[in-house]
Amino acid sequence: MMYEVGAGGPHARVVRHGRIRNIVRRGHELAFTFELDPEHAYLDRAEVLRIADQLGIAQFEQHRTHWAIKHGDIPAELIAMGTAERAQRTVTVVAAEYVEARREGRRRDSDDLAEELQNFPPTLDKALSLVPARILQQPTPKLYPILGVEPRTPEGRNAVVAVLVRDNNRQDLPADWSYSLAWFLDLYGSATEAARLEAALAACAAHMIALGAVEGNVAASVEDIGYALWRCSRSPKLVGDLRREIAVLTDRLVCRQEVEGCWNETREGGALSGVRATALAAVALQWLGDDRYHESRVMADHESHS
């Protein structure tokens, strides 16, 4: 017993397996009881639909409410996958089904599952479970390590291809794309991508030079400088190739540090303590600063903890 594809509600994806007993005819109606299989009461819906042809379930039958009698047995391997208790619809389970539906192009199923996902609160588990779906929509370099995709593997090669395709399109690229791309190609790429890596490094260098410039007494924000340095610090390749640009920006940070140890940002005509700016600046100095910045790092660390 299962719902047709496209049905809504909390039980729409439940498939029950059992036997019909005590069938009684009353005029034009049939009365019966349905007994769940005590050991294999609930089947995997995706697996049932996967072998729909083998079960004699035509495509049109999957989209309408009806009873149908089919001659033959349900495959033993399908029944063996059944469980005595209904699987709990955790965010991990729903997200996995959503990713599968998106990958297979089952738009109606993915829409239903997306609606079900909205009922779960925004948690770290939910965000991590949806990483594969985000990659399907927009391949982003920093997501592949989260999934545990290893460099120099077929999966890693597919990741490089997907990221470069997005880079070629040049659409909807985040502001820090060049930093992500350089770090990613250094980690996942091969000699084939050497030119692309050099181009990404050049873009990072140009961005950092612009951040270090002062035009008309207007300097880049501490938050922007700290963020660029933090992105560099994650990649040994960026740190090694952009030493001069990094040195200029770290000097800019130290010069703008307040005596209390924090960094301020100018907003609405006044100087306000910037928590995010201070955090990014502190991390940048801790990861990239040498002994010359020891005192600034100590003050920043104290301010960050307070």
Side-chain angles (χ1 to χ4, degrees), residues 16 31 42 78 92 121 124 127 148 154 161 172-173 180 198 218 226 242 246 249 255 257 277 300:
R16 296 173 174 85
Y42 298 94
L78 176 61
T92 303
L124 179 59
V161 171
D172 300 323
L173 296 181
S180 294
E198 290 302 319
V218 177
L242 303 179
I246 289 173
L249 291 186
C255 290
Q257 187 177 20

Side-chain angles (χ1 to χ4, degrees), residues 31 64 173 179 187 208 228 248 254 257 294:
R64 58 190 293 267
L173 296 181
Y179 295 92
L187 186 62
M208 296 179 74
V248 170
V254 172
Q257 187 177 20
H294 175 72

Side-chain angles (χ1 to χ4, degrees), residues 1 17-22 32-38 41:
M1 296 184 71
H17 167 246
R19 292 183 177 276
I20 293 177
R21 299 188 184 278
N22 304 322
F32 61 89
T33 57
F34 182 78
E35 295 181 359
L36 289 171
D37 185 309

Side-chain angles (χ1 to χ4, degrees), residues 254-276:
V254 172
C255 290
R256 294 170 66 175
Q257 187 177 20
E258 302 296 322
V259 293
E260 297 86 358
C262 67
W263 278 263
N264 292 336
E265 295 285 21
T266 301
R267 299 176 186 172
E268 300 178 359
L272 300 176
S273 177
V275 176
R276 179 177 167 84

